[in-house]
Amino acid sequence: MLPLCLLALLASCGLVEIEHSENGKLDGYWHLVTVDTLDTGGQLDMRQERYFWIVQGTVFQLFCPDLSNGLGQRFVCHFSYENEKISFQQFYHDRREEGDPILDRLDLLQPFGINQLAGESFVIEELTGGNMTLRGDALRLVFKKH
């Protein structure tokens, strides 16, 4: 009990920062399982593929461990989440040692359901503890929490 009280006291004095996110159920590790094309009604089953959206705080990451010769590929960006809508700013390669260079190839984002290098947005149709469905201009993306 004493350690918990001490932590609360230090946090209230500003000596210890406790990370907090306003994202609620959006935070997590999401596996892209279905991509629907809105214009044609076509559906792509992605359950056997390993494309992930990772959301934590103000940072958004795309990850596929199977890209780049088995080494994995990661992209990051900042996003906003308000009024049941997710909007993305500029995407970057997640390469800290190189200063996270700006991503300038849309073809690298498209397997994740992203069709713009900057300014992409999705309306949240469903968001539960284990499922998420997003609708963009051209696609509906269905995710399962991993």
Side-chain angles (χ1 to χ4, degrees):
M1 181 70 165
L2 184 59
L4 185 57
C5 291
L6 182 59
L7 181 60
L9 177 64
L10 291 173
S12 68
C13 295
L15 299 174
V16 173
E17 276 190 46
I18 297 176
E19 233 178 274
H20 176 69
S21 171
E22 299 293 328
N23 297 333
K25 294 176 183 174
L26 181 63
D27 277 342
Y29 199 84
W30 295 95
H31 179 208
L32 180 60
V33 295
T34 307
V35 177
D36 298 334
T37 305
L38 298 176
D39 285 344
T40 65
Q43 188 175 72
L44 179 61
D45 183 347
M46 301 280 291
R47 289 177 293 177
Q48 300 303 312
E49 305 296 327
R50 298 191 307 163
Y51 290 93
F52 298 97
W53 286 26
I54 304 162
V55 182
Q56 183 177 10
T58 62
V59 178
F60 173 83
Q61 183 179 73
L62 298 171
F63 174 63
C64 179
D66 303 321
L67 298 177
S68 295
N69 300 323
L71 300 175
Q73 185 71 284
R74 293 178 187 269
F75 308 104
V76 295
C77 78
H78 288 282
F79 71 100
S80 63
Y81 170 45
E82 51 193 334
N83 300 323
E84 300 305 310
K85 187 175 184 179
I86 304 170
S87 300
F88 301 103
Q89 286 93 36
Q90 178 68 53
F91 283 88
Y92 299 85
H93 291 275
D94 187 359
R95 296 188 203 140
R96 299 283 150 83
E97 66 281 353
E98 298 173 29
D100 295 334
I102 291 176
L103 181 62
D104 60 0
R105 290 185 46 201
L106 182 58
D107 64 307
L108 295 175
L109 296 177
Q110 288 174 321
F112 295 94
I114 303 290
N115 287 309
Q116 296 179 36
L117 288 171
E120 180 95 52
S121 63
F122 293 90
V123 172
I124 298 171
E125 292 186 336
E126 177 186 21
L127 181 59
T128 66
N131 299 303
M132 177 170 67
T133 303
L134 305 176
R135 182 179 35 82
D137 291 336
L139 302 174
R140 176 175 288 111
L141 308 175
V142 179
F143 298 86
K144 295 285 183 196
K145 202 165 224 179
H146 192 55

